[in-house]
């Protein structure tokens, strides 16, 4: 049995002295490989790997590592060793070596050798952003949040960047990229270049180092030149009209420069000397007086920006400029008194300006200009017109210190006198004011320029102030209360003041007679029982009485207006057409002044009559008496009727006899009497004004 362990020929019998693997056989030792820890071979070590061990002398040893094979023969010492180096050194990789020992007797032993991790390649490292080699310059915007350097390397490698003694590290990501950021405290702002070292260390300790340069440029400048716009930083009207406004300045060479002014904007590039220049047309900035801001922004080659401004004064006009004259006062018209002192012109203007004034085509007067810009000029009185002249052109010319000119004009009215002032020669048709005219108002009138104020003063002090109408007429109305009463002569003065405050005076006089004649006293009447055809009356103050009748409907009919018939007695006789019994007769006397006084009577020899004092026709007369003798009359009178009949300025005498009845409603018996024409009369007052009514004591039936 070949497997019998006692079989001396059993090749697996451990006690078989011929077993080539018998470890106890001192002449056939078992091959070994020296133990060692797994080794990592990098650029930091020698590029060689040694595998060693023991075997029977004369054995052949074949060692394989990373695809490389080396062979050795075991010497008499029983040890062997091979070293992979040079051309036999394996490529990078993680390897386990294998050992095949062939003993002299042909026995082959397969053994495991030591492990080797071989990484003899330095990690690649590259800077992709942030340094001079990448064309980058760290400008102010980029620098504000720190300085970042970016690159690529072997994933997992450690990156160390050193700049000026400051260090930042990073681990390369799985995509092979890395970045580090230095705070601004490590890399200050400014304009400079600073070397840097970047070290990449892979996970096996291989190191790659490269150097680069950090370029920092966080600064740029830009400015305007001083003395622009002709050297004084001021654009005058002439300069604006002459051409474009040129603005110049400096910036970093090559910088892009954007200049704005008014509504315009220009882009230029600073030349090699850092100079820039551009211009703006007059359409891009307004005329006037103001301060405009020019603005420039420069962007240098690093992307830094700088902005500055420059003030340009624009003064293309004379401003302020104004003028006025206080000479005409508030009415704007130079009157005679004002013109006597000349025409004072005043105003305001830019300080340092020259101002001239000229009225119409008269002399040119140079104004006096004060340091605060106020000015004044006096046009002599001799240059002003002596008659009313409207719309005289006043021209004001001003030239400011920058040569700007302007002209202002206004119109001046000169009115040195009151025009067309006079008073009419008479105040009434006959220049005598009678009582009726005085009661209704009498007028002193005349003409003057329209709108003038006329103050008329009577010599007794009574005054009226009136304004002339559009046609130039004026009328001042006075009444009875303005006259002293009675009769006499009265002078007056009229003073006119026109719109320009010129004054003129005129005067005149008139007569007045406010005393009416006595009311006619009626004697007998001629009545044949079918109406009245005549009457006797006392002698008129004029040459005759006027006789009228008033019908029941108020119609007034003239019966006679001519001289009476003479009679043997003292009375005068007036005949006229028949007046029916019971119809009013009115007998009126008048004086040379036109004052009138009337007597009202009714004739009805065959019956009684009730007098209607409300008859509208009676309002045309001024009654001094009512005669009741020629009828049996029932007369009722009120205060209002008394006022209407007399006008309130004379007593009313009621003549009659015992056949008559008088009722004076609301009258008061004064207890006084009067004697007229040989008859006694009781005196009563009637109404709030206390007007008097005198009733013939022959009338015994009186009621109050």
């Amino acid at each position: 049995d070949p497997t019998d362990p006692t079989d001396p020929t059993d090749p697996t019998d451990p006690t078989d002295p011929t077993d080539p693997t018998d470890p106890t056989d001192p002449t056939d030792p078992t091959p070994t490989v020296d133990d060692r820890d797994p080794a990592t071979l990098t650029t930091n070590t020698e590029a060689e790997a040694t595998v060693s061990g023991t075997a029977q002398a004369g054995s052949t040893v074949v060692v394989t590592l990373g695809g490389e094979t080396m062979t050795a023969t075991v010497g008499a010492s029983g040890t062997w060793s091979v070293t992979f180096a040079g051309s036999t050194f394996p490529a990078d990789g993680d390897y386990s070596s294998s050992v095949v020992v062939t003993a002299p007797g042909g026995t082959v032993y397969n053994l495991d050798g030591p492990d080797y991790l071989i990484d003899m390649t330095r990690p690649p490292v590259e800077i992709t952003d942030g340094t001079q080699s990448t064309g980058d310059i760290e400008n102010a915007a980029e620098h504000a949040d720190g300085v970042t350097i970016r690159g690529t390397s072997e994933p997992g490698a450690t990156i160390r960047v050193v700049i000026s003694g400051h260090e930042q590290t990073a681990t390369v990501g799985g995509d092979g990229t890395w970045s580090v950021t230095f705070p601004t405290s490590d890399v200050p702002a400014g304009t400079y270049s600073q070397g840097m070292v970047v070290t990449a260390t892979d996970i096996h300790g291989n190191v790659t180092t490269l150097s680069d340069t950090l370029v920092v440029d966080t600064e740029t400048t830009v400015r305007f030149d001083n003395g622009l716009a002709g050297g004084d930083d001021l654009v005058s009207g002439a300069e604006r009209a002459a051409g474009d406004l040129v603005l110049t300045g400096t910036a970093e060479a090559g910088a892009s420069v954007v200049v704005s002014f008014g509504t315009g904007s220009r882009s230029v590039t600073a030349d090699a000397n850092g100079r820039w220049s551009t211009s703006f047309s007059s359409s891009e900035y307004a005329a006037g007086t103001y301060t405009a801001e020019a603005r420039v922004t420069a962007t240098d080659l690093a992307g830094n920006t700088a902005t500055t401004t420059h003030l340009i004064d624009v003064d293309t006009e004379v401003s302020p400029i104004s003028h006025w004259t206080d000479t005409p006062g508030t009415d704007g018209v130079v009157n005679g008194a004002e013109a006597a002192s000349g025409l004072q012109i005043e105003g305001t203007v830019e300080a340092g300006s020259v101002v001239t004034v000229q009225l119409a085509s008269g002399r040119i007067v140079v104004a006096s200009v004060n340091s605060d810009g106020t000015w004044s000029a006096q046009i002599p009185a001799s240059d002003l017109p002596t008659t009313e002249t409207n719309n005289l052109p006043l021209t004001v010319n001003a030239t400011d210190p920058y040569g700007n000119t302007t002209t202002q004009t206004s119109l001046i009215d000169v009115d040195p006198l009151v025009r067309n002032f006079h008073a009419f020669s008479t105040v009434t048709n006959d220049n005598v004011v009678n009582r009726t005219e005085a009661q209704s108002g009498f007028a002193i009138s005349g003409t003057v320029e329209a709108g003038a104020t006329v103050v008329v003063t009577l010599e007794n002090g009574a005054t009226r102030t009136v304004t002339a109408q559009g046609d130039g007429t004026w009328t001042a109305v006075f009444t009875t209360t303005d006259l002293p009463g009675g009769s006499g002569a009265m002078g007056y003065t009229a003073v006119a003041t026109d719109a320009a405050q010129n004054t003129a005076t005129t005067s005149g006089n008139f007569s007045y007679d406010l005393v009416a004649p006595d009311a006619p006293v009626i004697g007998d009447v001629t009545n044949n029982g079918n109406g009245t055809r005549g009457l006797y009356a006392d002698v008129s103050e004029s040459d005759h009485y006027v006789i009228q009748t008033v019908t029941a409907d108020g119609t007034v009919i003239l019966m006679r207006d001519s001289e009476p018939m003479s009679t043997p007695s003292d009375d005068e006789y007036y005949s006229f057409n028949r007046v029916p019994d019971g119809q009013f007769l009115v007998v009126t006397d008048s004086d040379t002044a036109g004052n009138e006084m009337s007597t009202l009577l009714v004739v009805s020899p065959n019956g009684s009559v009730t007098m209607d004092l409300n008859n509208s026709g009676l309002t045309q007369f001024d009654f001094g008496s009512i005669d009741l003798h020629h009828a049996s009359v029932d007369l009722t009178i009120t205060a209002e009727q008394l006022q209407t009949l007399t006008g309130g300025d004379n007593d009313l005498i009621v003549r009659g006899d015992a056949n008559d009845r008088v009722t004076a409603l609301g009258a008061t018996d004064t207890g006084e009497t009067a004697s007229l024409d040989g008859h006694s009369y009781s005196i009563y007052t009637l109404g709030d004004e206390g007007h008097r009514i005198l009733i013939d004591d022959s009338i015994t039936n009186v009621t109050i």
Side-chain angles (χ1 to χ4, degrees), residues 19 64-65 86 103 126 151 195 198 227-228 300 312 319 340 357 372 412 414 475 488 517 611 686 691:
D19 183 359
T64 301
L65 178 66
E126 181 181 3
V198 178
L228 299 173
D300 66 12
I312 300 291
S319 178
V357 297
D372 62 357
I412 301 293
V414 178
T475 301
M611 295 188 74
L686 184 58
H691 298 313

Side-chain angles (χ1 to χ4, degrees), residues 44 49 70 215 236 260 268 302 348 368 563 578-579 584 589 591 593 695:
N44 297 316
M70 293 194 70
V215 180
S236 69
S260 60
V268 295
T348 59
S368 174
E563 294 182 3
R578 184 181 68 85
V579 176
F584 289 146
D589 193 9
D591 60 18
I695 300 177

Side-chain angles (χ1 to χ4, degrees), residues 237-238 316-318 354 396-400 402-407:
T316 63
E317 62 185 0
V318 180
V354 176
V396 178
N397 290 309
T399 303
D400 71 9
Y402 308 109
N404 298 308
T405 61
T406 192
T407 298

Side-chain angles (χ1 to χ4, degrees), residues 344-564:
Q344 178 80 5
I345 310 297
E346 299 174 276
T348 59
V349 73
E350 282 186 52
S353 298
V354 176
V355 178
T356 63
V357 297
Q358 184 180 29
L359 184 64
S361 58
R363 77 180 73 182
I364 296 174
V365 178
V366 178
S368 174
V369 181
N370 300 316
S371 59
D372 62 357
T374 58
W375 61 268
S376 62
Q378 182 87 3
I379 296 176
S382 59
D383 285 4
L384 301 178
T386 57
T387 59
E388 182 175 359
T389 306
N390 293 326
N391 297 326
L392 277 171
L394 175 67
T395 302
V396 178
N397 290 309
T399 303
D400 71 9
Y402 308 109
N404 298 308
T405 61
T406 192
T407 298
Q408 281 190 339
T409 61
S410 60
L411 299 176
I412 301 293
D413 293 337
V414 178
D415 183 0
L417 48 82
V418 178
R419 292 177 287 111
N420 305 323
F421 181 50
H422 75 279
F424 297 139
S425 59
T426 59
V427 299
T428 62
N429 291 335
D430 56 2
N431 206 35
V432 178
V433 178
N434 62 33
R435 185 174 70 163
T436 300
E437 292 166 337
Q439 288 173 340
S440 60
F442 63 95
I444 299 174
S445 57
T447 61
V448 72
E449 58 184 273
T453 299
V454 180
V455 179
V456 182
T457 304
L458 303 183
E459 64 183 21
N460 67 347
T463 299
R464 294 288 186 276
T465 300
V466 297
T467 300
Q469 302 300 310
D471 61 358
T473 59
W474 57 269
T475 301
V477 178
F478 293 86
T479 65
T480 304
T481 58
D482 298 309
L483 297 174
S487 60
M490 180 65 69
Y492 66 85
T493 300
V495 178
T497 303
D498 66 11
Q501 303 304 303
N502 298 302
T503 61
T505 302
T506 189
S507 61
N509 57 75
F510 61 90
S511 298
Y512 65 95
D513 182 355
L514 309 184
V515 180
D518 292 336
V521 177
I522 308 302
D524 292 333
V525 299
T526 303
N527 187 295
N528 60 4
N530 191 26
T532 302
R533 294 182 178 275
L535 60 79
Y536 289 88
D538 59 352
V539 178
S540 168
E541 187 171 320
S542 61
D543 57 3
H544 67 279
Y545 291 135
V546 175
I547 300 174
Q548 296 163 284
T549 184
V550 181
T551 65
D553 65 0
T555 302
V556 178
I557 302 172
L558 177 65
M559 304 304 295
R560 182 172 181 134
D561 186 7
S562 62
E563 294 182 3

Side-chain angles (χ1 to χ4, degrees), residues 487-667:
S487 60
M490 180 65 69
Y492 66 85
T493 300
V495 178
T497 303
D498 66 11
Q501 303 304 303
N502 298 302
T503 61
T505 302
T506 189
S507 61
N509 57 75
F510 61 90
S511 298
Y512 65 95
D513 182 355
L514 309 184
V515 180
D518 292 336
V521 177
I522 308 302
D524 292 333
V525 299
T526 303
N527 187 295
N528 60 4
N530 191 26
T532 302
R533 294 182 178 275
L535 60 79
Y536 289 88
D538 59 352
V539 178
S540 168
E541 187 171 320
S542 61
D543 57 3
H544 67 279
Y545 291 135
V546 175
I547 300 174
Q548 296 163 284
T549 184
V550 181
T551 65
D553 65 0
T555 302
V556 178
I557 302 172
L558 177 65
M559 304 304 295
R560 182 172 181 134
D561 186 7
S562 62
E563 294 182 3
M565 297 172 59
S566 61
T567 65
S569 68
D570 291 336
D571 289 343
E572 299 175 330
Y573 180 71
Y574 295 86
S575 62
F576 41 82
N577 293 330
R578 184 181 68 85
V579 176
D581 288 347
Q583 186 167 297
F584 289 146
L585 278 169
V586 178
V587 181
T588 301
D589 193 9
S590 62
D591 60 18
T592 56
N595 297 304
E596 295 182 347
M597 189 62 71
S598 299
T599 295
L600 174 65
L601 73 151
V602 62
V603 179
S604 182
N606 300 316
S608 61
V609 176
T610 298
M611 295 188 74
D612 179 13
L613 296 184
N614 289 324
N615 186 303
S616 61
L618 301 181
T619 61
Q620 300 181 28
F621 304 98
D622 195 355
F623 291 102
S625 73
I626 299 176
D627 195 327
L628 308 180
H629 283 108
H630 304 289
S632 295
V633 180
D634 187 353
L635 171 65
T636 298
I637 186 169
T638 65
E640 181 179 359
Q641 291 168 334
L642 177 61
Q643 173 70 30
T644 301
L645 292 172
T646 65
D649 58 355
N650 58 263
D651 296 337
L652 179 66
I653 300 170
V654 180
R655 293 181 171 92
D657 53 31
N659 294 320
D660 304 311
R661 178 179 178 179
V662 176
T663 301
L665 297 176

